[in-house]
Amino acid sequence: LFLAKIMNSHRVDHSGTIQHSTQHATATIETATMPETTQDEEPRHDLLDKIAASARTGFDDILLFNSFIKTGSFDSGIDSLCEYHANLMALHGFMAGFQYVVVSGEVTSGDLSTLQQAAVAMQTIGFGMSLAGTFISLLAMEYLKGIREEPPELQVEGIMKHFSFFKLSDLSAILAALFLTFTTNMLLYEQLPIWLCLVVHGITVALGLKIIHFFKTGIVDKQTYGGGRRLFQYRQRNKISCGPGDSVEVQKP
């Protein structure tokens, strides 16, 4: 009985060793047959190709691309665009209300000089731009929220199609701010001495140049430094041509 137990235990150990060796060999074969991929390489997808082939590569393209890479859908990118337009609409509302107060106060103050008339005209234009930007952002939010649960093909096609219209909200906010800045500097001559007006002009120009420099280094150049964005790496790695407009034929590798 003692010898039988020893032999039985030996068979169990030997069988376990063989089973373990077989599993290890199978895992080794499966690992060897798997294609070599790196963590930084994104999977190829037709919609990603279309985004990468766009000549614009605006912030909407970048948000959609990164959203699909991270989550496998474009919903989080659409949520980011909705949040962006919500903040932009709040800015437009603030600018429109502020400019309306200024314009109404100038108009009811009585006779206006030529300088004041020019300032009121520019402020009125700025008020109209802010008001238009509010409606554009409102329409953008309604459209984006409406396509959130739709097929991804419709989401990409729709956002890329209407991007130029939605971009007008950005441009109207910039122009409204510029008109407000110009008119404020113009009206200084009605209340302050010339030397002080020139000092304010100098500070305004310096701040404007600083903002332009940050826009260049923080918005434009961030596309290239540090190895470039994933979108551009994807385009270069898959050899996707980028021509004018959105109707670019994608060159498959």
Side-chain angles (χ1 to χ4, degrees):
L1 291 175
F2 177 73
L3 292 175
K5 290 181 179 180
I6 293 177
M7 293 177 65
N8 185 42
S9 175
H10 177 71
R11 283 198 302 269
V12 172
D13 295 341
H14 184 66
S15 175
T17 303
I18 294 174
Q19 184 178 2
H20 175 73
S21 300
T22 304
Q23 293 177 351
H24 178 71
T26 304
T28 303
I29 294 173
E30 291 178 353
T31 304
T33 55
M34 291 177 62
E36 294 184 0
T37 57
T38 60
Q39 189 175 3
D40 295 335
E41 291 187 2
E42 296 82 6
R44 193 72 185 270
H45 195 282
D46 290 340
L47 293 177
L48 296 183
D49 288 353
K50 183 174 181 60
I51 296 174
S54 174
R56 290 191 328 266
T57 57
F59 70 92
D60 61 328
D61 298 328
I62 295 171
L63 289 176
L64 291 178
F65 185 90
N66 291 336
S67 172
F68 190 86
I69 293 300
K70 185 176 180 180
T71 65
S73 70
F74 298 107
D75 290 342
S76 63
I78 293 176
D79 291 339
S80 298
L81 289 173
C82 288
E83 182 181 359
Y84 171 79
H85 278 285
N87 295 332
L88 196 57
M89 186 170 62
L91 173 63
H92 281 304
F94 171 77
M95 294 284 292
F98 182 76
Q99 290 173 330
Y100 174 78
V101 171
V102 174
V103 170
S104 62
E106 291 289 341
V107 171
T108 57
S109 61
D111 295 335
L112 301 177
S113 63
T114 303
L115 186 63
Q116 290 175 332
Q117 291 176 0
V120 169
M122 295 180 66
Q123 288 172 344
T124 303
I125 296 174
F127 167 76
M129 289 182 176
S130 296
L131 195 61
T134 303
F135 286 113
I136 294 173
S137 289
L138 179 62
L139 292 175
M141 290 178 60
E142 291 181 354
Y143 177 80
L144 293 170
K145 288 181 179 295
I147 66 172
R148 190 182 184 280
E149 302 294 336
E150 296 294 338
E153 291 80 6
L154 184 145
Q155 293 174 339
V156 173
E157 292 283 349
I159 292 176
M160 295 181 70
K161 178 180 179 180
H162 301 295
F163 170 78
S164 299
F165 176 72
F166 297 154
K167 187 67 176 178
L168 292 176
S169 182
D170 291 27
L171 298 178
S172 62
I174 295 173
L175 291 176
L178 289 177
F179 276 114
L180 181 61
T181 303
F182 290 154
T183 54
T184 302
N185 279 268
M186 289 171 58
L187 293 175
L188 291 177
Y189 290 96
E190 296 288 334
Q191 305 292 334
L192 301 177
I194 295 179
W195 69 269
L196 190 54
C197 294
L198 295 177
V199 171
V200 175
H201 296 340
I203 295 174
T204 302
V205 172
L207 292 176
L209 293 176
K210 184 65 177 179
I211 293 174
I212 294 174
H213 178 263
F214 176 79
F215 179 82
K216 172 67 168 56
T217 58
I219 304 298
V220 178
D221 290 347
K222 75 175 182 180
Q223 315 280 344
T224 56
Y225 61 70
R229 287 188 173 273
R230 290 175 178 166
L231 175 59
F232 303 137
Q233 294 176 2
Y234 179 90
R235 175 192 295 167
Q236 183 178 6
R237 182 170 56 253
N238 294 297
K239 299 179 181 179
I240 300 175
S241 63
C242 180
D246 296 332
S247 59
V248 179
E249 299 244 346
V250 176
Q251 294 181 355
K252 300 291 183 181

